[in-house]
Amino acid sequence: MSEPNTDTTTRSDIDEQSDEQFRSWTESSGTGTVNIQDLRKVYGDDGDELVAVDGMDLHIEAEEFVTVLGPSGCGKSTVMECIAGYLDPTEGEVLVNDEPVEGPDPSRGVVFQENRLFPWKTISENVRFGPQMRDDVDESRVASLFDQMGLEGFEDAYPNELSGGMQQRAELARLLANDPDIMLMDEPFSGLDAMTKELMQEKLLDVWEDDDRTVLFITHDVEEAILLADRVVVMTARPGQVKDVIDVDLERPRSTDMVTTDRFNELQRRASESIHDEAERAMEQAEGRA
Amino acid sequence: MAYARRLEQSASLLAVLAIWAVATMFVGAVPSLPSPVEVAVAFVDAAASSSFWQEVGRSTFRVYLSFAIATVVAIPLGLLIGRSEVFSDLTFPALEVLRPIPPIAWYPALTIILLTPANIVRFIIFLAAFFPILLNTIEGVRGVEEEYPQAARSLGASPFQTMRHVVLPGALPSIYTGLVNAMGLAWVSLVAAELLSSSGLGYFIWNAFTAGEYPNIVVGMIAVGVLGYGSSALLRRLGARAIPWLSAANA
């Protein structure tokens, strides 16, 4: 591990140089950029094919908060699972930090609607899981996450002993303990009651405003999409692709009482109109299938 | 509450005892069947002799040793078969052909390849315990929803860590069911194998039969029953401790 001392001067010179190079490189492309190019994903084989996504293009900047709004079955989860590395694209490319995605990676954290806390581990073990796997648990960070997510006193509880909202907070804590560059969230709050949901949205905004991460957040809730996002991406009905991108120019930090402002309503109307036709099409598709 | 429960649980045992007592009270109804009293006397005699306890110790040790080896082999194998389609294709067909062969049917074959009787008994118990553990491990692994390994990988766990921290604990309830079944079958096969060999409780039973000491037959049988029951109870208790999340109260 330790290098001979004679090397140190030259080595640190080189390090400084490459550090600078690295910095300029990261500034141009950023850590946490996502680039989706002409993505196509087909399920099933010949005869019984389902084209979930076709011709999808999307670029997400580092540290950007993007929400994806789309009717059910439009392939938005498929897109996310391609970024997570759970699915391989049929055609096209998914690039993260300009590199093609190859399998899951701790720099890309994932949260789903149903919590995926490990039932056989306590909340504390769940939250520590990522760092523990690398033998690199930062105790003060874990403690502050427990505090931030209001989980103190539940360290030794098992997930099935917690309420739904608390489970989602624990899952968010587990994700953050791992310090990902990109957070991929698939309708994480849609199973929660209205009050809990609002609290979770505020927590998420706090977290995101505190430290720099890219967030891709899938939802079918127009209000939620606008409240959280820098940009709202509206997807078409299946096969999914980008229909519309709405820039949300509301000031930050955001809070849930912004939903009553005129500008918010205007954006909400625009997004609703954009998604309306697609929702209708998706419904026809669903009826056709049934 | 606990007392009433205890009473319910002993009802079936008392019923067996009652049927047995009644059957032997009418002399000649079941010729030569030793009565509970005769068996109790024989048990006191046996308990006083060191040879009885020697056989008990020998049989118990055999079961536990072979059971432990079966566990150590079957669980990792089951994890691999359950997790890897390729590994499953490569190994599972052979195992499926071997599985229906009753362990005791191996006795002659093992004799002609010149294993010692003691090793034959060990191997037969191993076989009896191996398959239920293997099959339940495979089933348990396949029952672990893919979301959990995926989540583990996204949190940075290596394939081995995913196996160790996610797949294994996820499969554990099913594995424990397999272990409890395997323990029962281990005792069943032990007695069968020992009937053909020259030591252990199976031999004790057979010896009592050939020597005409009929009460001792029943002493041996009861000993096997109690030891088998005790072993399974022990496993269940260990299982409950190893799977605390299932007993954690639903708040």
Side-chain angles (χ1 to χ4, degrees):
Chain A
M1 283 287 272
S2 60
E3 297 287 331
N5 268 341
T6 45
D7 273 8
T8 344
T9 36
T10 45
R11 179 163 285 277
S12 65
D13 283 349
I14 294 167
D15 271 355
E16 242 164 64
Q17 260 184 344
S18 60
D19 258 5
E20 238 164 72
Q21 261 173 347
F22 181 74
R23 219 170 292 133
S24 66
W25 182 77
T26 48
E27 269 162 25
S28 61
S29 62
T31 38
T33 60
V34 177
N35 234 321
I36 297 168
Q37 291 168 0
D38 206 15
L39 177 68
R40 179 180 162 87
K41 180 67 191 176
V42 182
Y43 293 105
D45 12 68
D46 300 332
D48 191 25
E49 285 184 348
L50 181 74
V51 185
V53 179
D54 197 13
M56 165 112 182
D57 287 294
L58 181 64
H59 177 79
I60 303 173
E61 297 286 344
E63 297 168 29
E64 192 179 15
F65 200 130
V66 171
T67 52
V68 177
L69 200 54
S72 51
C74 75
K76 46 194 195 299
S77 296
T78 300
V79 173
M80 204 197 76
E81 292 198 29
C82 287
I83 304 172
Y86 298 159
L87 293 175
D88 290 325
T90 309
E91 277 168 44
E93 272 194 304
V94 176
L95 305 171
V96 168
N97 301 331
D98 299 327
E99 301 274 348
V101 168
E102 275 172 40
D105 189 273
S107 66
R108 281 170 270 128
V110 190
V111 180
F112 290 91
Q113 180 184 341
E114 322 83 51
N115 89 81
R116 292 183 179 186
L117 295 167
F118 304 125
W120 43 85
K121 292 192 179 286
T122 62
I123 296 307
S124 170
E125 288 167 340
N126 265 290
V127 171
R128 278 156 212 265
F129 186 85
Q132 192 89 66
M133 293 301 105
R134 296 185 297 278
D135 237 336
D136 181 28
V137 183
D138 181 344
E139 288 302 333
S140 64
R141 185 176 167 77
V142 170
S144 77
L145 279 169
F146 265 83
D147 174 49
Q148 193 178 8
M149 293 296 151
L151 292 166
E152 309 105 316
F154 291 89
E155 285 85 352
D156 297 326
Y158 285 98
N160 69 0
E161 297 174 278
L162 268 55
S163 67
M166 216 170 218
Q167 288 173 347
Q168 282 312 62
R169 293 210 296 277
E171 177 125 32
L172 199 51
R174 177 170 80 170
L175 185 79
L176 292 167
N178 219 24
D179 199 16
D181 297 329
I182 301 173
M183 290 169 53
L184 303 167
M185 311 183 83
D186 191 354
E187 306 200 22
F189 307 148
S190 62
L192 305 176
D193 62 87
M195 285 263 281
T196 313
K197 183 174 181 169
E198 204 169 282
L199 288 172
M200 289 299 291
Q201 289 166 344
E202 281 173 355
K203 281 238 183 292
L204 177 62
L205 282 171
D206 282 352
V207 164
W208 179 78
E209 273 150 16
D210 279 353
D211 34 32
D212 316 317
R213 292 175 217 285
T214 309
V215 179
L216 180 73
F217 187 107
I218 292 176
T219 179
H220 57 244
D221 177 339
V222 177
E223 189 182 288
E224 180 174 62
I226 293 167
L227 176 67
L228 298 174
D230 295 322
R231 278 192 301 155
V232 178
V233 173
V234 181
M235 279 181 75
T236 64
R238 199 180 56 237
Q241 50 178 275
V242 176
K243 180 186 182 182
D244 209 353
V245 177
I246 300 168
D247 284 306
V248 181
D249 48 9
L250 299 167
E251 64 189 25
R252 295 207 186 252
R254 304 255 176 93
S255 69
T256 42
D257 30 295
M258 281 183 178
V259 299
T260 51
T261 61
D262 290 343
R263 183 61 187 147
F264 194 99
N265 288 330
E266 205 179 312
L267 289 163
Q268 192 169 359
R269 203 173 313 117
R270 225 190 108 191
S272 296
E273 274 164 19
S274 179
I275 200 176
H276 183 262
D277 299 345
E278 301 305 324
E280 247 172 21
R281 262 181 61 204
M283 205 183 280
E284 280 161 21
Q285 281 175 349
E287 277 162 10
R289 287 210 124 216
Chain B
M1 244 338 231
Y3 180 74
R5 185 89 200 278
R6 220 31 75 69
L7 213 64
E8 279 169 22
Q9 286 170 335
S10 9
S12 63
L13 289 172
L14 292 172
V16 170
L17 198 65
I19 293 168
W20 178 18
V22 169
T24 52
M25 264 194 302
F26 303 102
V27 180
V30 186
S32 308
L33 180 67
S35 70
V37 177
E38 287 172 298
V39 171
V41 171
F43 178 78
V44 172
D45 283 349
S49 73
S50 63
S51 68
F52 172 74
W53 293 111
Q54 227 167 37
E55 306 298 9
V56 167
R58 209 171 264 157
S59 289
T60 308
F61 180 70
R62 279 176 180 161
V63 165
Y64 280 68
L65 178 71
S66 294
F67 179 84
I69 296 172
T71 304
V72 169
V73 177
I75 292 178
L77 197 60
L79 290 175
L80 286 172
I81 292 176
R83 207 62 195 133
S84 153
E85 202 177 325
V86 176
F87 194 80
S88 172
D89 287 348
L90 286 174
T91 56
F92 202 53
L95 292 167
E96 276 296 274
V97 169
L98 294 177
R99 190 167 66 92
I101 304 171
I104 194 68
W106 286 76
Y107 206 105
L110 295 170
T111 307
I112 59 173
I113 63 168
L114 298 175
L115 283 186
T116 62
N119 279 336
I120 294 176
V121 174
R122 287 187 191 120
F123 188 75
I124 286 174
I125 304 167
F126 165 83
L127 279 176
F130 176 78
F131 284 106
I133 303 173
L134 180 75
L135 292 181
N136 277 278
T137 304
I138 295 172
E139 193 189 300
V141 168
R142 295 199 173 140
V144 175
E145 287 167 73
E146 193 49 37
E147 283 88 51
Y148 294 119
Q150 272 183 351
R153 299 303 303 280
S154 278
L155 289 165
S158 68
F160 177 78
Q161 287 172 324
T162 304
M163 198 71 117
R164 159 83 183 73
H165 293 282
V166 177
V167 178
L168 177 63
L172 216 47
S174 173
I175 292 176
Y176 263 95
T177 307
L179 290 175
V180 172
N181 289 341
M183 186 54 101
L185 288 171
W187 279 99
V188 169
S189 306
L190 166 95
V191 175
E194 281 180 347
L195 286 174
L196 299 175
S197 76
S198 56
S199 66
L201 276 172
Y203 171 71
F204 180 89
I205 294 169
W206 192 249
N207 194 39
F209 170 65
T210 51
E213 300 162 355
Y214 294 163
N216 271 346
I217 299 178
V218 185
V219 170
M221 289 167 68
I222 292 175
V224 171
V226 169
L227 286 167
Y229 173 81
S231 304
S232 297
L234 181 71
L235 268 181
R236 283 206 190 86
R237 184 160 294 192
L238 289 175
R241 202 173 283 186
I243 315 174
W245 62 92
L246 288 188
S247 46
N250 287 303

